[in-house]
Each structure stands twice: as structure tokens, then as C-alpha cells.
Amino acid sequence: MRTWTGLIDSDYRPWLPVTDRTPVVSLNEGGTPLLRSAHLSAITGCDVWLKVEGANPTGSFKDRGMTVAISRAAEAGARLVICASTGNTSASAAAYAARAGLAAAVLVPRGYVAPGKLAQAVRYGARIVEIDGGFDDCLRAARDLAARHPVALVNSVGNELRLAGQRTVAYEIADALGRAPDLHCLPVGNGGNITATWQGYQAYAAAGRTTGSPRMWGFQAAGAAPLVHGAPVPAPETAATAIRVGHPATWDGALAARDESGGIIGAVTDEQIFAAYHDLAARDGVYAEPASAAGVAGLLDRHARGLLEPGRLVVVTLTGNGLKDGDAALRDAPAALRSSAAPADVARVLDLAAVTA
Ligand code: F0G
């Protein structure tokens, strides 16, 4: 059996902007599970598959783009990489920078980053600057610094290399299913991932690897849904902090993905997001972070409103790992699931006699 050696050293290498001179900086990202959801398939009457991007080395899809961006930054002789982030990009940038022996600085919104993501950046040795403001303020500051100083910006907006890496998710899905799905659902924040995923499907179709491309259904949190309203949201709010973005940098790309694919970008409430987040773990055994569940929440919302035709082949990207945000998991833990007891009392507390009768 051939072991998986990361995206750049995989069969996808010809699809990536690297050359023989590019030093490969990899943590064996990609090759993530594509799992069928019996639960979601039964509800919707579709064939629903989950692309579990939380299985990447730093726990999110960001690693696909980061292996390319940091490899090329190392090739170009960069010393310091910088990014703005709601948490996942910063964790990924910090990890790949550490592996390449580069310094990393990450700009994050103070008070709105899941603790696990900050912990990652700390452990990978990045300089963390917490900004009083949102992601959009962080991104403006990072772009400004990169324009005035010789540092490598690894946000997807300043860095097409990131999107090229993120396209690989579409290649993996098409190769695993033997065709492109009919429909691809995913969360949308800054707009990079829907853009890259769509570009990936298109590139595969253009090369004759698939015969069609899916409609792209992107979902933003209702309190942070600028692409749905068609205007920036000055003070975005959602408990799904990963997608708390008011002015997406890849605005045009996201709308192009929507329109060229005949898809939609819709809004889902935090309540819908957290319900999907809970069910993914409790029904499918997949613990994804809250923002990751927006694609599932959107799929179910459209189904409930009669806007999803049954019988379709559907893929939903689960963008990040639930372990990053233990606080969110415990905050609304159903009381019935937690109790305390003396050791001798456990059987009674669990009502084992009744449960196993
Ligand atoms: N899901 C998760 C878990 C994310 O971290 C992000 C974006 C998205 C979805 C949305 O993807 O921005 O390409 O539309 N996180 C960025 C970050 C903003 O800084 O980690 P997008």
C-alpha cells in the first residue's frame, strides 16, 4: 500500500503551482475522509456525503492551501509570514511556518477566536496580535503591513496559491465518487473556499476528468451574511466565530461560483447551525466545529422549504474540527447528558436496569 504523503507529493502535484525547485513544506494534509451520512440521506431523500476537512493536520481545510503558500514562501526566501484570521488560518499558517523554519505573525479579533485555535497558534510558536475589532479590521491591517514591509501575506486574498491548494478538495471528491456531485454545500465566510472549490470542479471538467460540475450552495450565518444581502455588514455577529466576516475579501469569486454553477448563497440562523452541529456529532459521529455545520444547516433548511430535489448526489464540506472549540460544545450541553454520582451510585444514575431491560 502506498502511504499518503500530502498534496504536493500526491497525484495532484501537476494541478498545483509548484516546480522541482519548490521545497515541499507538508504535514501530509489532504486525503481526508468522504463519509456517507445515512442520517442526512434519510431525511432528504438524497445521497449525502460529508467531506471531513477537520481531519487535516491542523484540523481544518486551510492546510490544503497553506502547504502551497508556505512552500512557495520558503522558495521565495521569505523570513516572516503574516495573516489575519478568525482562528483556523492562523493555526495552519503557524504550523506550516514552524515546519519551514519561518517566523509567523497572526492578527486575530480579540475575544472572538475559539480557544483551541489560539492554543494551536501559541504552541506552533507564532506571534499573536489580538486586535480590537473584527476579522475585517485584522485583514485590512495585515494587507497594509504586507504592502509596506517584506513579509509574505498568506491570506487567500493576497495569495492565489492558497486557492490553488484548496481546489484539491474538489479533485479528491470527484475521484472518490467517480463523478462530480450534483450539489456541493459549504459554509461561507471570507469567500475563498467556495471560490476555490468551484474552480476545482471546473478545472477537472475542463480536463475531461468529469463531465459536469455541481451547483454550489454556500451558507453564511444570518448575522454575518453580506453576500446574501449584497452589501458589507459593518458589525457581523454569530456564535460560529470562524465565519464572523462582514466584508468578504473574495466577494467576486464567491458570487461567480454561485452564478456560474446555478447555485445560491443563503443564510442560516445560529440556531440552525448549532442544531446541525449537534446532530452531526450525535447522529453521524462526526464532531465538526460550529461554523462547519452551516452547510448541513443550509441543506436541511432548503429541504424543509421544498427547494431540494430528492435523488441528488450531494457533498457537504465540514470545514473544521470540533475539538477546536470545546467551549461551544460544553456551553449548551444537554443537561440530561451530564450528572455526578458516587461510584456506587452510577448504575442507578444511568438507570441501567431500565435501559438494558
Ligand atoms: N469554515 C471554517 C471552519 C472556517 O474557519 C472558515 C474561514 C470558513 C468555513 C469559511 O471559509 O472564509 O474561505 O469562506 N475561516 C477564515 C480563517 C476566515 O481566518 O480561518 P471562507
Side-chain angles (χ1 to χ4, degrees):
M1 191 186 86
R2 249 176 81 203
T3 52
W4 181 257
T5 49
L7 290 169
I8 295 178
D9 283 336
S10 75
D11 291 347
Y12 301 119
R13 184 184 183 97
W15 300 83
L16 296 170
V18 293
T19 68
D20 293 346
R21 292 183 305 283
T22 310
V24 177
V25 182
S26 172
L27 289 160
N28 286 9
E29 60 292 315
T32 54
L34 183 66
L35 298 177
R36 186 168 186 277
S37 170
H39 165 237
L40 292 169
S41 299
I43 292 179
T44 59
C46 288
D47 192 15
V48 183
W49 295 75
L50 307 170
K51 185 63 170 165
V52 186
E53 290 291 279
N56 275 299
T58 78
S60 85
F61 70 96
K62 305 288 182 179
D63 295 344
R64 293 183 182 276
M66 210 54 79
T67 184
V68 180
I70 300 287
S71 294
R72 290 285 305 274
E75 181 179 0
R79 307 257 295 279
L80 175 81
V81 301
I82 191 167
C83 70
S85 181
T86 57
N88 280 326
T89 299
S90 57
S92 186
Y96 284 81
R99 198 152 174 90
L102 307 178
V106 303
L107 278 53
V108 298
R110 185 201 304 279
Y112 288 94
V113 178
K117 300 175 188 178
L118 274 183
Q120 287 181 288
V122 167
R123 283 299 122 210
Y124 294 133
R127 290 287 306 274
I128 299 161
V129 185
E130 298 188 73
I131 306 274
D132 283 318
F135 168 81
D136 307 287
D137 302 297
C138 296
L139 184 56
R140 200 172 311 119
R143 294 174 83 166
D144 210 53
L145 287 169
R148 289 187 288 112
H149 300 272
V151 298
L153 182 69
V154 294
N155 282 109
S156 51
V157 53
N159 200 323
E160 280 295 312
L161 303 169
R162 283 269 316 280
L163 295 189
Q166 284 178 209
R167 283 179 204 150
T168 56
V169 74
Y171 312 153
E172 287 182 14
I173 290 165
D175 285 339
L177 295 174
R179 56 167 284 202
D182 300 315
L183 189 60
H184 189 121
C185 300
L186 76 176
V188 175
N190 207 27
N193 206 32
I194 190 171
T195 304
T197 305
W198 171 241
Q199 289 174 348
Y201 282 120
Q202 279 188 304
Y204 241 36
R209 296 271 188 128
T210 50
T211 50
S213 300
R215 280 175 291 151
M216 302 297 295
W217 283 9
F219 297 97
Q220 302 200 284
L227 294 166
V228 180
H229 305 311
V233 173
E237 265 314 332
T238 169
T241 52
I243 53 172
R244 190 171 169 272
V245 178
H247 196 168
T250 313
W251 186 287
D252 294 343
L255 294 190
R258 178 193 69 185
D259 298 340
E260 290 168 17
S261 75
I264 56 115
I265 296 179
V268 282
T269 64
D270 277 14
E271 209 179 0
Q272 289 175 304
I273 290 174
F274 276 79
Y277 159 75
H278 174 80
D279 281 356
L280 274 169
R283 304 294 297 268
D284 283 306
V286 180
Y287 183 25
E289 67 170 290
S292 290
V296 171
L299 179 73
L300 291 176
D301 180 71
R302 306 266 303 166
H303 166 69
R305 293 196 282 126
L307 298 170
L308 172 68
E309 316 91 77
R312 301 293 173 175
L313 179 59
V314 181
V315 173
V316 189
T317 314
L318 303 180
T319 43
N321 196 306
L323 292 169
K324 286 169 174 279
D325 199 352
D327 282 10
L330 295 175
R331 206 159 40 226
D332 66 346
L337 293 182
R338 298 186 81 184
S339 45
S340 313
D345 245 5
V346 176
R348 185 186 57 77
V349 166
L350 292 178
D351 205 7
L352 284 187
V355 173
T356 58

